[in-house]
Amino acid sequence: MEENNFLKDIAQVMFGNAALLLSQVLTGFVLPKLMSVESFGNYRIFMLYGTYAGLLHFGFVDGILFKYGGKNIDDIKREEISKYFSVFIVIEAITSMVIIAISVLFFSGSKYGFIFFAIGIYSFVLNVVTFFQYFSQAIMRFGLVSSASLVQAATISMIIISILISKLIGFSKGVNYRTYVVMYIGVYCVLLVFYTLGYKQSNQYNKISITSKYGTNGINEVFKVGLPITIAYQISNLTLNLDNQFVSMFFSARTFAKYSFAYNLISITVSVVLAVAMVLFPYLNKLGKAAALKQYINNIDYILLFAYASLISYYPVRIIIQWLLPKYQESLVYFRILSPGVAITLCITVIVSNYYKVMDDNIWYLRNGCISLVITLILDTVVYFTFKNVIAMAFVSLVELAIWYTIEDVSFRIKYNIKNFSSYLYIGLMVVAFEVATGMQNVLLSFIIYVCLYIVVSLLVMRRSMKVLSQKLINIVRY
């Protein structure tokens, strides 16, 4: 029954993420058509720095997820969670005002002045929404999370379609990055209202409110648990985006727009499977450490099988870009190089990071992340000053992901005596298979060869996991 609930919750969140996927397709393929290359590059700079806004909750929402993960809503006191929420609102409001003040005092009149002003507002709305989202994950209210994804997808889609229609009828020439950034922040304002109403209108879940009775009891504990998780997450985020950061700083806005566009395409590829990450921690926490460890190898295998199957999306994306966005064809070169890293990224963010949290080894995960970040920084610096070439930056990014995964995964396996290392063979073979297949000029032949190689390699290395995963997918359909 527990497994059926788990599969049901994954299906729910995947449904919401699939809707988000459709909106991201609009954003990924239509938005660049509605902006100049330079304006799209500035928008991506906002998104790049916006990824660090999650650090500005200072670990609080991660502490909430960790504290309440897997708990029954009836066991949570209204006074306690309301106190946490109220303190969090004050912290975020102060942080937001500080960022806005810095943008006005030091960057006024420049594009970075607008970007940091917008991030000041965005960080507040984003982190309050994240509080609601993480608390919903913790108490396994995945239906609400899925509904929020549907609302987000619908709002983004309406914005993009409205701009597109406006351009087609000649009412406007498209949209500049400033206008779209304001609209993007507005989407999170809508989500904030949605989550607020979702908790206010439910008798069972009406536990979160603003209170003036702050108190400090338990607050330090939430920060203490959550801060290492957040820092580790942001270090992971920085490691993933460091090559992006280098390209944004040392290359032209046009080059960055095309490189960042490739990353945008990759984010579309992985968005649905991230549902597993959202659902996994509360269930693993409920299982307990010993039972969760027994599933580690299987969970890694399932993610790898799914991720490399998802890379088939490279082919329709390639055709769409060549037909719809010819000025971004250069991005396909970067997209092809970076795509095999999707599987490695998912292993880290979906499986390994969640297992470190379940085993309460957040400091260990943070330490490994710091080591990986230093190695990534050194490699990016050496490659940039040696080649000063964006393609070289993309290749080294793939190498850095492999190093990061090895450090995190091998460290975990050694500590908990997990000896099966077949996933490394599978990753190596599939990276080679993808790069060889996609290197061919004939798209149809390339597609056939990749699919054949995927099936052969998966049957040779992952036969047992494929059989079990197939049965689980059948159970989802039956349930």
Side-chain angles (χ1 to χ4, degrees):
M1 185 64 184
E2 188 71 22
E3 182 174 356
N4 284 337
N5 288 336
F6 177 63
L7 296 175
K8 178 185 175 183
D9 288 334
I10 285 182
Q12 273 189 319
V13 179
M14 275 192 169
F15 179 73
N17 281 16
L20 270 179
L21 175 63
L22 295 176
S23 68
Q24 287 172 346
V25 168
L26 281 174
T27 305
F29 295 113
V30 179
L31 185 62
K33 199 79 172 171
L34 301 174
M35 288 182 175
S36 67
V37 175
E38 289 79 6
S39 193
F40 183 74
N42 289 331
Y43 158 68
R44 292 301 300 173
I45 289 173
F46 165 79
M47 294 299 293
L48 176 63
Y49 286 103
T51 58
Y52 305 121
L55 183 62
L56 300 176
H57 60 67
F58 308 109
F60 202 85
V61 297
D62 285 303
I64 291 294
L65 176 60
F66 191 88
K67 181 179 179 67
Y68 295 112
K71 282 192 176 181
N72 190 300
I73 188 64
D74 296 327
D75 298 329
I76 298 173
K77 295 179 181 178
R78 176 184 170 88
E79 297 79 12
E80 183 180 72
I81 190 65
S82 293
K83 175 184 69 176
Y84 292 153
F85 182 67
S86 300
V87 169
F88 183 67
I89 289 289
V90 172
I91 292 170
E92 289 306 301
I94 293 171
T95 304
S96 179
M97 287 188 287
V98 169
I99 296 172
I100 290 171
I102 290 173
S103 71
V104 172
L105 292 173
F106 298 102
F107 298 99
S108 182
S110 69
K111 74 177 180 182
Y112 284 100
F114 170 80
I115 287 172
F116 287 120
F117 187 93
I119 285 174
I121 300 171
Y122 174 65
S123 68
F124 176 82
V125 184
L126 170 70
N127 286 321
V128 177
V129 168
T130 304
F131 183 99
F132 279 113
Q133 181 185 331
Y134 276 35
F135 183 68
S136 300
Q137 289 174 230
I139 61 176
M140 294 188 285
R141 199 181 175 189
F142 296 110
L144 183 65
V145 176
S146 180
S147 297
S149 295
L150 291 173
V151 170
Q152 183 178 359
T155 310
I156 291 173
S157 298
M158 284 190 293
I159 290 172
I160 298 293
I161 292 171
S162 298
I163 298 169
L164 178 61
I165 292 173
S166 176
K167 183 177 181 179
L168 291 175
I169 64 176
F171 187 74
S172 71
K173 294 183 179 180
V175 64
N176 62 53
Y177 78 97
R178 293 187 178 218
T179 302
Y180 187 75
V181 164
V182 172
M183 292 176 175
Y184 184 80
I185 295 171
V187 172
Y188 281 88
C189 292
V190 172
L191 285 177
L192 181 55
V193 172
F194 175 81
Y195 270 118
T196 302
L197 293 176
Y199 276 93
K200 287 293 182 185
Q201 295 176 354
S202 170
N203 291 330
Q204 182 183 2
Y205 295 99
N206 187 10
K207 299 249 179 181
I208 301 177
S209 63
I210 300 291
T211 176
S212 58
K213 300 177 182 178
Y214 297 145
T216 56
N217 186 33
I219 300 292
N220 290 338
E221 177 195 346
V222 175
F223 275 117
K224 185 178 179 181
V225 171
L227 188 58
I229 299 173
T230 299
I231 294 174
Y233 171 77
Q234 289 300 329
I235 285 175
S236 301
N237 203 21
L238 185 56
T239 303
L240 286 171
N241 283 290
L242 200 58
D243 58 322
N244 235 335
Q245 198 82 55
F246 266 71
V247 176
S248 73
M249 291 188 299
F250 299 120
F251 294 87
S252 69
R254 290 181 65 88
T255 300
F256 173 70
K258 293 175 181 179
Y259 191 78
S260 183
F261 181 71
Y263 265 100
N264 196 42
L265 296 175
I266 288 172
S267 70
I268 293 172
T269 305
V270 304
S271 62
V272 175
V273 78
L274 288 177
V276 180
M278 194 175 291
V279 175
L280 191 61
F281 174 69
Y283 276 96
L284 290 178
N285 217 28
K286 249 186 168 182
L287 279 177
K289 296 180 180 181
L293 278 175
K294 291 179 181 178
Q295 297 183 13
Y296 183 78
I297 294 296
N298 288 337
N299 288 332
I300 289 284
D301 289 353
Y302 301 154
I303 287 294
L304 288 174
L305 285 166
F306 187 91
Y308 283 113
S310 73
L311 292 190
I312 292 172
S313 62
Y314 166 82
Y315 295 98
V317 167
R318 175 176 168 176
I319 294 168
I320 291 170
I321 297 300
Q322 290 174 336
W323 171 66
L324 186 64
L325 293 167
K327 62 183 179 181
Y328 283 93
Q329 279 205 68
E330 188 180 340
S331 298
L332 287 174
V333 178
Y334 313 136
F335 182 49
R336 173 177 168 255
I337 297 168
L338 295 167
S339 286
V342 165
I344 303 172
T345 302
L346 287 174
C347 281
I348 299 169
T349 57
V350 176
I351 306 299
V352 179
S353 65
N354 273 314
Y355 266 89
Y356 272 103
K357 282 193 282 187
V358 170
M359 304 307 292
D360 200 13
D361 278 337
N362 299 313
I363 300 298
W364 195 261
Y365 181 68
L366 174 59
R367 187 209 67 167
N368 291 340
C370 289
I371 295 171
S372 302
L373 179 59
V374 170
I375 293 172
T376 300
L377 181 59
I378 292 170
L379 287 175
D380 278 341
T381 303
V382 170
V383 168
Y384 169 72
F385 284 104
T386 302
F387 300 101
K388 294 188 177 179
N389 181 278
V390 182
I391 292 177
M393 297 297 297
F395 270 117
V396 80
S397 174
L398 191 59
V399 173
E400 290 159 359
L401 277 177
I403 293 171
W404 180 26
Y405 173 63
T406 302
I407 291 171
E408 295 285 13
D409 179 64
V410 171
S411 175
F412 188 86
R413 289 172 188 255
I414 290 173
K415 188 169 185 179
Y416 294 102
N417 196 29
I418 301 172
K419 297 178 180 178
N420 188 328
F421 287 87
S422 60
S423 59
Y424 287 86
L425 174 62
Y426 185 71
I427 290 171
L429 291 174
M430 287 309 304
V431 169
V432 172
F434 182 82
E435 297 295 357
V436 169
T438 55
M440 299 178 177
Q441 293 299 315
N442 188 309
V443 178
L444 180 60
L445 180 61
S446 173
F447 170 77
I448 293 170
I449 288 176
Y450 179 70
V451 171
C452 291
L453 287 173
Y454 171 78
I455 293 170
V456 170
V457 173
S458 298
L459 286 173
L460 286 174
V461 184
M462 299 278 197
R463 181 187 295 272
R464 183 188 61 82
S465 295
M466 282 187 76
K467 184 177 179 181
V468 176
L469 182 59
S470 299
Q471 188 58 52
K472 286 182 182 291
L473 293 174
I474 292 170
N475 289 342
I476 290 177
V477 175
R478 286 177 179 172
Y479 191 75

